[in-house]
């Protein structure tokens, strides 16, 4: 039985019943479970069901238990699909621009197509792999969205998207050797995806968050998205919105926009950092020049990764009235408290030149037994440092391994509690 036949067997009443029985199974007991199930089911079906049950358990982190245990996955699909919260946010952007139909090219198992359909948008979901397309089709049916999602197995280059309001392209960014960093090595290449986007009234391209800014096409607005503090992806937006809305947002310069607001049109060359689940969005069409550098103050601010990737740290420095601790390090410092959704604040109690013995003595004096280690601009591994400190005590502290004015430095402090 090939992979496609094995998957289709899971869609039968017997296959679905078997999967439902495995929702809470313990993978460490797989041999015993498989032996028991093979007494009443074909061995091929049992193997397929156990593999799918493991994938569903892994998918809970991305899709939530309610959806994950109804959906179907492939190993690549679990690894590469968009987190549901990010897909829902992006679908909301499409909807806010009046989009009613999207051609989702390289749809994978359908994570983005499902979010678009839940936003009331009709979707043409395309993938060239037959098994992947079959999984996407099954997911649309499993979640009751089949009427809004047409799944087509085809090469995206052969698909006519002229009848659709918008195009979304999510190129494959993994190969046989792991992650692909060259945008032209994506499948399809970034240049092809940009060409497809420019033909559409409105478009979005999902790309790796580490893409060099110089590789971003001038026609795009680039957005970096983090969820729960972890940078998940970058998106290139093209077209859309009214000229008046675009002009109004351009006049606004850098600013924060809540998730309830409709965004203006795409401003080519602009950058945006969006933080979920807060739906806080920092945007500018004219990035500020290099910020000032100065000594470490009472407070240290760690910008969210999306802000750093979007090269918007200077905007944080300006808003806080602060400075960088080093021209190459994205830590902002100030002598006054600054509250922002885009930073995590710490109060600094000690500044030491890099010296393990001095740090160990200080932590022992403070009775620190719980140590959070952060690093930026240092080659020291956090676990190595913790091991050498031989921590004892009930107090907690945070140590930053970094550079201050070019010199290797250790900063010790603690998080500032959020304002009530």
């Amino acid at each position: 039985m090939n992979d496609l036949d094995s998957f289709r067997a899971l869609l039968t009443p017997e296959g679905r019943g078997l999967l439902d029985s495995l929702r809470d199974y313990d993978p460490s007991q797989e041999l015993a479970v498989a032996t028991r199930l093979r007494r009443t089911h074909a061995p091929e079906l049992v193997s397929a069901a156990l593999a799918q049950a493991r994938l569903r358990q892994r998918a809970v982190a991305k899709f939530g238990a309610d959806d994950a245990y109804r959906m179907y996955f492939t190993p690549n699909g679990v690894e590469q699909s968009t987190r549901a919260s990010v897909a829902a946010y992006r679908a909301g952007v499409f909807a806010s621009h009046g989009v009613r139909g999207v051609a989702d090219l390289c749809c994978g198992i359908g994570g983005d197509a499902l979010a678009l359909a839940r936003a009331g948008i009709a979707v043409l979901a395309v993938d060239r792999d037959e098994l992947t397309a079959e999984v996407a089709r099954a997911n649309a049916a499993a979640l009751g969205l089949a009427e809004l999602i047409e799944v087509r197995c085809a090469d995206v280059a052969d698909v006519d998207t002229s009848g659709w309001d918008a195009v979304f392209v999510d190129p494959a960014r993994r190969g046989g050797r792991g992650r692909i960093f060259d945008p032209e090595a994506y499948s399809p290449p970034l240049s092809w995806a940009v060409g497809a986007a420019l033909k559409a009234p409105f478009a979005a391209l999902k790309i790796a968050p580490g893409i060099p800014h110089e590789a971003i096409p001038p026609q795009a607005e680039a957005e970096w998205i983090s969820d729960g503090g972890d940078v998940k992806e970058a998106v290139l937006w093209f077209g859309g919105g009214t000229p008046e809305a675009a002009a109004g947002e351009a006049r606004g310069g850098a600013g924060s926009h809540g998730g309830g607001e409709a965004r203006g049109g795409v401003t080519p060359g602009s950058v945006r950092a969006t933080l979920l689940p807060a739906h806080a969005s920092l945007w500018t069409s004219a990035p500020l020049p290099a910020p000032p550098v100065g000594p470490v103050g009472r407070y240290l601010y760690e910008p969210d990764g999306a802000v750093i990737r979007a090269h918007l740290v200077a905007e944080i420095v300006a808003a806080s009235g602060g400075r960088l601790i080093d021209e190459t390090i994205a830590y902002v410092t100030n002598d006054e408290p600054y509250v922002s959704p885009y930073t995590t604040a710490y109060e600094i109690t000690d500044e030491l030149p890099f010296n393990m013995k001095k740090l160990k003595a200080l932590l022992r004096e403070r009775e620190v037994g719980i140590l959070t280690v952060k690093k930026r601009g240092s080659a020291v591994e956090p676990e190595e440092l913790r091991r050498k400190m031989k921590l004892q005590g009930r107090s907690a502290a945070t140590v930053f391994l970094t550079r201050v004015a070019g010199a290797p430095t250790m900063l010790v402090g603690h998080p500032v509690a959020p304002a009530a």
Side-chain angles (χ1 to χ4, degrees):
M1 183 179 291
N2 62 35
D3 289 344
L4 190 57
D5 288 339
S6 295
F7 175 70
R8 286 173 174 163
L10 294 175
L11 304 180
T12 65
E14 181 185 7
R16 290 198 300 269
L18 190 53
L19 271 177
D20 288 343
S21 73
L22 290 171
R23 174 173 175 138
D24 298 318
Y25 106 101
D26 182 353
S28 68
Q29 301 298 315
E30 182 167 319
L31 181 58
V33 173
T35 301
R36 173 175 57 81
L37 293 176
R38 283 171 180 157
R39 295 171 187 155
T40 53
H41 301 280
E44 296 85 355
L45 179 59
V46 172
S47 295
L50 288 169
Q52 190 62 223
R54 291 194 300 272
L55 293 175
R56 284 180 166 183
Q57 290 180 352
R58 287 174 54 195
V60 168
K62 278 191 175 182
F63 291 91
D66 187 52
D67 282 351
Y69 285 112
R70 291 188 291 161
M71 291 172 64
Y72 299 89
F73 301 94
T74 65
N76 284 342
V78 171
E79 182 71 26
Q80 300 177 23
S81 58
T82 303
R83 181 178 290 264
S85 54
V86 178
Y89 161 75
R90 183 166 41 242
V93 175
F94 276 108
S96 73
H97 283 84
V99 170
R100 291 295 171 259
V102 173
D104 178 3
L105 308 181
C106 311
C107 70
I109 62 165
D112 280 282
L114 297 171
L116 289 163
R118 281 176 164 165
I121 298 171
V123 184
L124 171 63
V126 182
D127 200 282
R128 67 182 180 183
D129 181 74
E130 188 176 7
L131 173 60
T132 302
E134 190 82 357
V135 172
R137 191 175 292 112
N139 284 334
L143 298 188
L145 298 167
E147 290 187 2
L148 282 169
I149 301 175
E150 174 195 347
V151 179
R152 186 181 303 174
C153 182
D155 190 310
V156 295
D158 298 331
V159 176
D160 179 10
T161 62
S162 59
W164 296 85
D165 297 339
V167 166
F168 173 62
V169 188
D170 181 4
R173 294 176 300 281
R174 286 183 180 271
R177 297 182 178 179
R179 292 182 185 274
I180 296 172
F181 297 98
D182 177 7
E184 284 307 295
Y186 292 174
S187 180
L190 180 61
S191 56
W192 182 92
V194 170
L198 293 175
K199 295 175 185 176
F202 188 65
L205 310 182
K206 179 179 171 181
I207 56 175
I211 187 172
H213 278 230
E214 57 269 23
I216 296 172
Q219 305 96 326
E221 173 180 311
E223 177 178 31
W224 283 261
I225 302 172
S226 69
D227 189 14
D230 294 328
V231 181
K232 295 302 179 184
E233 63 182 58
V235 185
L236 303 182
W237 296 97
F238 297 80
T242 65
E244 292 81 6
E249 187 164 329
R251 283 194 299 270
S256 301
H257 306 282
E261 296 184 39
R263 295 172 13 157
V266 170
T267 303
S270 62
V271 292
R272 183 186 298 268
T274 297
L275 280 56
L276 302 177
H279 284 253
S281 192
L282 184 66
W283 175 91
T284 185
S285 61
L288 295 174
V293 179
V296 177
R298 179 177 177 182
Y299 298 99
L300 189 75
Y301 302 97
E302 181 181 29
D304 184 271
V307 172
I308 296 173
R309 294 282 195 179
H311 294 184
L312 289 170
V313 175
E315 279 68 18
I316 297 296
V317 173
S320 67
R323 55 198 177 267
L324 295 180
I325 64 171
D326 184 280
E327 62 181 6
T328 64
I329 301 295
Y331 283 139
V332 180
T333 190
N334 201 343
D335 301 303
E336 302 296 331
Y338 168 68
V339 178
S340 168
Y342 306 108
T343 63
T344 302
Y346 298 85
E347 185 171 7
I348 300 303
T349 56
D350 301 273
E351 179 179 352
L352 308 169
F354 187 88
N355 187 301
M356 290 285 195
K357 290 184 178 180
K358 289 184 178 180
L359 178 63
K360 185 176 181 179
L362 177 65
L363 297 178
R364 182 178 298 169
E365 178 186 336
R366 303 280 171 83
E367 298 183 343
V368 172
I370 303 171
L371 185 66
T372 300
V373 182
K374 292 179 170 288
K375 68 170 198 167
R376 190 161 289 158
S378 172
V380 177
E381 292 301 325
E383 287 305 318
E384 176 190 356
L385 184 140
R386 286 195 193 91
R387 188 170 58 253
K388 290 183 176 180
M389 292 300 102
K390 298 180 180 178
L391 301 168
Q392 291 182 344
R394 297 183 178 180
S395 298
T398 301
V399 61
F400 296 85
L401 309 177
T402 187
R403 291 194 302 271
V404 174
T409 303
M410 295 174 163
L411 304 176
V412 181
H414 55 82
V416 175

